[in-house]
């Protein structure tokens, strides 16, 4: 029905503006509208029946957000015949939370690793366990242990993995875990934040669901918070994940989605440079007398190098290294860095350092973190896109 022209200031001020553009913008626009209008009730009925799909209300789906989620899903399966489905979430944490809550019920078991992104460990301990979920933490490089665990669990379970893991860069074999999980009818979720689809396509190795903190490499510029959930299983997305996201409401928004989209344009180029710089910095640090260990999956000496080679095409930007010395020496070293910033994030264009024991893993019990190499002298580095010689000299000068 054509809309009535109005005659009063109060009426004209509040009328929505509806442009009929005759040409299409070359680039994705920001569409902040909460709701989408229908020129007939019949169309509204059809749109509500076609969910997720047609746009009705931006918590359900949005014309800026949805294509960006689909771009991440397409990257995760590029080069294969698989089709993938994606949603964007408000943060990486909400992507993890929604995925687990959508796929598992209290009483069921989350099988995972003792060391994960600090927030994920805290999410399991402070939210899911008090709700009645069970947790089983294993070395997921050991398939015998995993099989014994899967046999023992009576109710449903899912396997939640992060590889390479924060901050000691341990890798677990995605394909072997997924093969075993299939045998026991268990889903595998992979946090692919560190690798990104450029370096590792976990869905192609058998994973059911991938979660991302797009805050990190996918956006890549440190100016947006976001997460993504991607699956190759349409039913999981449409019947479980999307409804949970819609009802909990931790959706993304058009502005953040638009920023994520800008970041993705250079993701492949950035990852290539991140991979090159990180490998060079890792080799440089490994040659230093004052360095005790360097954790980087691209180094031949790294215990999980063979696993990394089998499933990654590049080894990423993250490394950590342990200084010979005490807490005081480590803090002094970090404070002497001039190019690398001391900032608690990763995946940005510049190099960032962090002291896990006093920040991201502060709430992990000391005996547990030390068992996994997160000692007081461990420094985590997210290697940026700087000139590598300049970056090496920054890390060299800090030894002085
Ligand atoms: C940052 C991060 C998260 C959490 O993401 P947010 O966007 O901060 O909520 C989860 N997993 C990994 C590996 C991360 O680096």
């Amino acid at each position: 029905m054509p809309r009535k022209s109005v005659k009063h200031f109060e009426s004209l001020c509040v009328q929505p503006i509806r442009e009929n553009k005759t040409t299409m913008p070359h680039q994705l626009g920001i569409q902040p509208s909460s709701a989408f209008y229908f020129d007939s009730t019949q169309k509204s009925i059809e749109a509500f029946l076609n969910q997720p799909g047609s746009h009705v209300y931006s918590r359900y789906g949005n014309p800026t957000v949805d294509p960006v989620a689909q771009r991440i899903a397409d990257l995760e399966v590029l080069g294969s015949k698989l089709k993938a489905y994606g949603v964007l979430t408000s943060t990486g944490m909400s992507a993890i939370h929604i995925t687990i809550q959508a796929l598992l019920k209290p009483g069921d078991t989350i099988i995972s690793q003792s060391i994960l992104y600090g927030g994920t460990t805290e999410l399991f301990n402070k939210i899911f366990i008090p709700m009645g979920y069970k947790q089983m933490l294993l070395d997921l490089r050991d398939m015998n242990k995993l099989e014994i665990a899967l046999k023992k669990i009576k109710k449903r379970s899912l396997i939640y993995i992060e590889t390479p893991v924060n901050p000691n860069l341990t890798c677990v074999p995605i394909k072997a875990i997924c093969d075993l999980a299939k045998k026991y009818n268990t889903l595998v979720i992979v946090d692919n934040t560190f690798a990104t689809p450029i370096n590792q396509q976990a869905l192609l190795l058998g994973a059911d669901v991938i979660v991302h903190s797009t805050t990190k490499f996918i956006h890549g510029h440190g100016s947006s918070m976001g997460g993504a959930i991607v699956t190759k299983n349409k039913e999981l997305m449409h019947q479980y994940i999307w409804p949970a996201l819609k009802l909990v409401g931790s959706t993304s928004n058009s502005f953040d989605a638009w920023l994520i989209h800008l970041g993705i344009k250079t993701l492949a180029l950035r990852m290539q440079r991140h991979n090159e710089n990180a490998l060079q910095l890792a080799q440089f640090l490994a040659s230093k007398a004052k360095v005790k260990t360097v954790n980087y999956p691209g180094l031949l000496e790294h215990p999980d190098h063979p696993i990394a080679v089998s499933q990654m095409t590049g080894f990423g930007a993250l490394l950590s290294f342990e200084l010979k010395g005490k807490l005081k020496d480590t803090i002094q070293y970090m404070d002497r860095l001039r190019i690398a910033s001391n900032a608690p994030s990763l995946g940005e264009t510049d190099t960032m350092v962090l002291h896990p024991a006093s920040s991201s893993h502060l709430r992990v019990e000391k005996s547990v973190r030390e068992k996994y190499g997160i000692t007081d002298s461990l420094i985590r580095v997210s290697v940026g896109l700087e000139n590598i010689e300049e970056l090496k000299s920054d890390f060299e000068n800090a030894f002085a």
Side-chain angles (χ1 to χ4, degrees), residues 91-93 96 117 120 162 191 193-194 213 215-216 225-226 346:
T91 61
M93 289 312 298
I96 299 166
Y117 176 73
T120 308
E162 195 181 305
D191 182 336
T193 300
F194 274 24
S213 167
T215 311
K216 314 298 169 51
M225 297 294 295
L346 57 103

Side-chain angles (χ1 to χ4, degrees), residues 150-197:
L150 286 166
K151 271 189 189 146
K152 222 175 6 191
I153 294 166
K154 294 282 173 289
K155 289 195 170 176
R156 278 194 316 169
S157 63
L158 63 74
I159 302 174
Y160 182 92
I161 60 184
E162 195 181 305
T163 179
V165 82
N166 183 34
N168 58 11
L169 287 308
T170 300
C171 297
V172 297
I174 300 171
K175 187 169 183 307
I177 292 169
C178 293
D179 288 347
L180 204 51
K182 286 219 166 54
K183 202 169 134 189
Y184 291 88
N185 231 341
T186 294
L187 296 175
V188 179
I189 301 167
V190 179
D191 182 336
N192 212 27
T193 300
F194 274 24
T196 82

